[in-house]
C-alpha cells in the first residue's frame, strides 16, 4: 500500500527530509509532494490530496512554531507521530565563493531566527526571508552570484550544486525541531496506524487559555501533577486579536485514551476559557539524523583561515599519538559528565575550593558556584603539596563530602587522584578524576585512569611541552578510556611576577592538533586573585572549552591557595563578564579580514 505525503516547500526543504525519513523508518512505499505554505499543507491533507502532512511545531532555539500548532487545531487534524529532527544548518553559496564575499543571505524565517547569532557576525549582509529552504537554495544557485548565499541542510546544497561555506551555524549545536506528522480526521486506518500502536512513548498536545481568575494556570498545572502526568512543554504566545491575553501551548506525556489523561483533561475544562486537544501521537521516532548530543561538523568547512585546521598541518610527531590526534576525530570530541557536555561547541565552568576543608565549606561553595552558573564542582581531597608539613587534604572523608556537596547542589564533581591505589575508590565517589600537573608524566597512574569509565581531566605538567602533554593523554586513550579533557594550568618560566605563566597560546595549538576538549585553569596559572578575571575572559575568547576556577567562602582563611581563590562575589563578577564574551568558536564564524 503506497502512501502520499505533503510538506511545505520544494525539494531540499527540511520538511521533505523529515517526511521521507519518516516513511523510510516505517518501511512503507510513499510519495511526497510540496505545497507553498503551511496552510496549504494542512488543506491538502484535509482534502484528501495527501494521506499525511508534516508541520514543524517547536524549535529548540526559537521556541514554539505557532502556525504549526494553530493549523492543527483550526482544521482539527489528527497528529500521529512526532519526529525530533536535528536541524543541520549550513551556509550554502556558489562554488568558489567565500564567506567574506557574501552580501545577501536567504532563508526560511524560522531558520533565520535559529541562526541569528551567526548572521549578526556577517557585517553589512542583507538577510532576506523567503518561503522555503529549497527555494532559497534554488534561487541562489540560479543567480550564479557569488555574493548570495542560502541557509539550509547539506542535502539542499547537493540538490542545487551549492558549496558549503560554513557549517553548524545555528546559535547552538543542539538545534532540533519537533515536527508532527498528521492525518485527516477521516483518514484510512492504515494511515492512522503509521504512528504505531504502542501505548508507551506517546505525547499529547493541547492549546488552552485559562479563566481570568487568580491561580487558574497554577490549578491547570496541578491537575496534571495530581494525575502524575509529566509536562514536557509549557509556552505562552499572545492570542491573536486580543492584546495581552495569552494562549498556552502544552505538551505532556501520555495518551488521551488513557483514563488518567482523559480525566485530567475533563478537569482542565473547568479552569479554561478555551481548550483544544490537538491529539496524542507516537514519539518513538525519536531523534532522527544522529543521536542527541552527537558532534556536528566543526564550524568552518573552508579551513583556510588562520584558525582553521587542515590534516596536512599535523606535525610529523602526531604518528606517536594516533588516538589523540585531530585526524582521529576531526569534528572534536564531546564528553558527557552527567547532564553536562564538555568539548566541541560548549563552554563550561567548573568552580570550587582548592581543597575540601569541611562539610560547611564545601556545601556552601557548591551552592554559591551553582547559583552563579557553574556546571561542575571541583575540590581536592588528596593534595600534592610542595611542603610535607602543609595541609595534605582530607582524604577519603573529603571525597565523601565533595560527593555530598555535588549532590546537594546538583553538580557533577572533579577531584585529583595522586596514586594508583586511589583510582578505584575515587572513581566511585567522584565524576571526573583529575591528574595534577605534578603527575602528568606518572605513566603508571595514567595507565590506571585509562582503565576506569570516568572522564579524566589531565592537567599540563608545569614543565611539559604541548607534545609531551598530548602524549600523556595518549597513554589514557590507549588503555581504552576515550574521555580525556586537557587542562592548561600554567608552566614554569623565568617570570616570577605570576605563580606560573599561563600558556594561552596552547589553546589554538591543542585545538588544531587534538580533538580533545581543552580547559583552562587561570587560578593556578596566575596565582593572584585579581588577575584571574582577565585571564578567564581571554581563555573563553581564545576557544577554551571551559574554565576550572578556585573559589572559597573566605579566601583569607583557606588552607591552601587562598591568594588565588575567588570570593563568591568575585566569582559572580567573572560569570557576568563571561556571559558578555563570545566563545572562540563564535568569534571564528566572523569572516576573516580581507588582505
Ligand atoms: C589543583 O587543581 O588544585 C592542583 C593542585 O592543580 P595543579 O596540579 O595544576 O597544580
Ligand atoms: Mn589549588
Amino acid at each position: 500500500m503506497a502512501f502520499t505525503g505533503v510538506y511545505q516547500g520544494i525539494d531540499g526543504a527540511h520538511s521533505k527530509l523529515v517526511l521521507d525519513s519518516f516513511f523510510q523508518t516505517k518501511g512503507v512505499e510513499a510519495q511526497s509532494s510540496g505545497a507553498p505554505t503551511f496552510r496549504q499543507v494542512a488543506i491538502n491533507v484535509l482534502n484528501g490530496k495527501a494521506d499525511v502532512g508534516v508541520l514543524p511545531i517547536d524549535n529548540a532555539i526559537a521556541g514554539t512554531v505557532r502556525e504549526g500548532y494553530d493549523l492543527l487545531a483550526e482544521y482539527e487534524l489528527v497528529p500521529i507521530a512526532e519526529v525530533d529532527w536535528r536541524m543541520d544548518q549550513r551556509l550554502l553559496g556558489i562554488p568558489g565563493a567565500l564567506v567574506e564575499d557574501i552580501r545577501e543571505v536567504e532563508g526560511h524565517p524560522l531558520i533565520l531566527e535559529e541562526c541569528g547569532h551567526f548572521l549578526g557576525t556577517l557585517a553589512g549582509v542583507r538577510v532576506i526571508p523567503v518561503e522555503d529552504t529549497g527555494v532559497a537554495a534554488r534561487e541562489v544557485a540560479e543567480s550564479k552570484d557569488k555574493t548570495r548565499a542560502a541557509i539550509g541542510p547539506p542535502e539542499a546544497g547537493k540538490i542545487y550544486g551549492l558549496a558549503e561555506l560554513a557549517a553548524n551555524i545555528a546559535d547552538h549545536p543542539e538545534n532540533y525541531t519537533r515536527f508532527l506528522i498528521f492525518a485527516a480526521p477521516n483518514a484510512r486506518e492504515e494511515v492512522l496506524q503509521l504512528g504505531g500502536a504502542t501505548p508507551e512513548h506517546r505525547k499529547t498536545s493541547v492549546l488552552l487559555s485559562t479563566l481570568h481568575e487568580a491561580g487558574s494556570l497554577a490549578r491547570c498545572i496541578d491537575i496534571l501533577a495530581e494525575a502524575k502526568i509529566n509536562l514536557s512543554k509549557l509556552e505562552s504566545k499572545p492570542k491573536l486579536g486580543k492584546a495581552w491575553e495569552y494562549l498556552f501551548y502544552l505538551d505532556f506525556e501520555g495518551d488521551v485514551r488513557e483514563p488518567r489523561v482523559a480525566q485530567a483533561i475533563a478537569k482542565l475544562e473547568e479552569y479554561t476559557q478555551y481548550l483544544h486537544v490537538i491529539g496524542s501521537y507516537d514519539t518513538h521516532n525519536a531523534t532522527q539524523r544522529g543521536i542527541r548530543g552527537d558532534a556536528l561538523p566543526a564550524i568552518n568547512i573552508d579551513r583556510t583561515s588562520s584558525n582553521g585546521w587542515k590534516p596536512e598541518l599535523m606535525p610529523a610527531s602526531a604518528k606517536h599519538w594516533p588516538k589523540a590526534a585531530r585526524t582521529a576525530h576531526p569534528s572534536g570530541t564531546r564528553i558527557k559528565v552527567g547532564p553536562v557536555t564538555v568539548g566541541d561547541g560548549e563552554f563550561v565552568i567548573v568552580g570550587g575550593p582548592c581543597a575540601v576543608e569541611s562539610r560547611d565549606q564545601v556545601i556552601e561553595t557548591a551552592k554559591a558556584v551553582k547559583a552563579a552558573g557553574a556546571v561542575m564542582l571541583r575540590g581536592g581531597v588528596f593534595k600534592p603539596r610542595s611542603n610535607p608539613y602543609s595541609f595534605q587534604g582530607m582524604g577519603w572523608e573529603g571525597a565523601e563530602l565533595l560527593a555530598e556537596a555535588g549532590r546537594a547542589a546538583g553538580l557533577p564533581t572533579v577531584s585529583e587522584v595522586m596514586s594508583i591505589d586511589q583510582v578505584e575508590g575515587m572513581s566511585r565517589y567522584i565524576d571526573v578524576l583529575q591528574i595534577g600537573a605534578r603527575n602528568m608524566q606518572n605513566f603508571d597512574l595514567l595507565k590506571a585512569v585509562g582503565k576506569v569509565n570516568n572522564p579524566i581531566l589531565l592537567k599540563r605538567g608545569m614543565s611539559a611541552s604541548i607534545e609531551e602533554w598530548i602524549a600523556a593523554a595518549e597513554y589514557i586513550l590507549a588503555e581504552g578510556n576515550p574521555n580525556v579533557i586537557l587542562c592548561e594550568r600554567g608552566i614554569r618560566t623565568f617570570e616570577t611576577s605570576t605563580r606560573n605563566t599561563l600558556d594561552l597560546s596552547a589553546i589554538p595549538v591543542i585545538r588544531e592538533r587534538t580533538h580533545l576538549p581543552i580547559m583552562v585553569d587561570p587560578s593556578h596559572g596566575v596565582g593572584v586573585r585579581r588577575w584571574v578575571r582577565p585571564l578567564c575572559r581571554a581563555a573563553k575568547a581564545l576557544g577554551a572549552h571551559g574554565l576550572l576556577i578556585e573559589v572559597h567562602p573566605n579566601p583569607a582563611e583557606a588552607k591552601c591557595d587562598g591568594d588565588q581563590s575567588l570570593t563568591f562575589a568575585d566569582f559572580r563578577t567573572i560569570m557576568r563578564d563571561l556571559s558578555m564574551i563570545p566563545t572562540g568558536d563564535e568569534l571564528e564564524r566572523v569572516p576573516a579580514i580581507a588582505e
Side-chain angles (χ1 to χ4, degrees), residues 226-239:
E226 283 156 14
K228 301 215 165 11
I229 294 173
N230 191 12
L231 188 62
S232 56
K233 172 199 175 92
L234 170 63
E235 196 171 339
S236 68
K237 291 268 173 188
K239 227 196 244 176

Side-chain angles (χ1 to χ4, degrees), residues 354 383 524 550 561 564:
C354 176
K383 294 301 304 174
H524 293 90
E550 287 187 346
D561 288 349
Q564 68 197 31

Side-chain angles (χ1 to χ4, degrees), residues 354 378 383-384 416 434-438 459 462 489 499 521 524 548 550 561:
C354 176
R378 63 148 288 149
K383 294 301 304 174
E416 177 163 351
Q434 175 174 322
I435 298 293
R438 291 154 194 83
K459 293 260 195 127
M462 59 184 84
R489 49 77 70 202
R499 177 173 174 178
D521 168 356
H524 293 90
L548 189 75
E550 287 187 346
D561 288 349

Side-chain angles (χ1 to χ4, degrees), residues 379-385 392-400 415-436 439 442 444-454 456:
V381 300
F382 296 108
K383 294 301 304 174
R385 303 304 301 275
Q392 303 283 310
M394 289 182 77
W396 294 108
E397 188 192 345
E400 254 174 66
S415 194
E416 177 163 351
V417 285
M418 285 186 10
S419 63
I420 296 175
D421 59 337
Q422 291 159 0
V423 172
E424 210 260 311
M426 285 289 274
S427 72
R428 281 188 269 117
Y429 280 117
I430 305 299
D431 299 296
V432 177
L433 303 183
Q434 175 174 322
I435 298 293
N439 273 315
N442 181 339
D444 288 339
L445 183 59
L446 297 177
K447 286 182 193 164
V449 296
K451 293 191 178 78
V452 297
N453 292 322
N454 312 51
I456 307 301

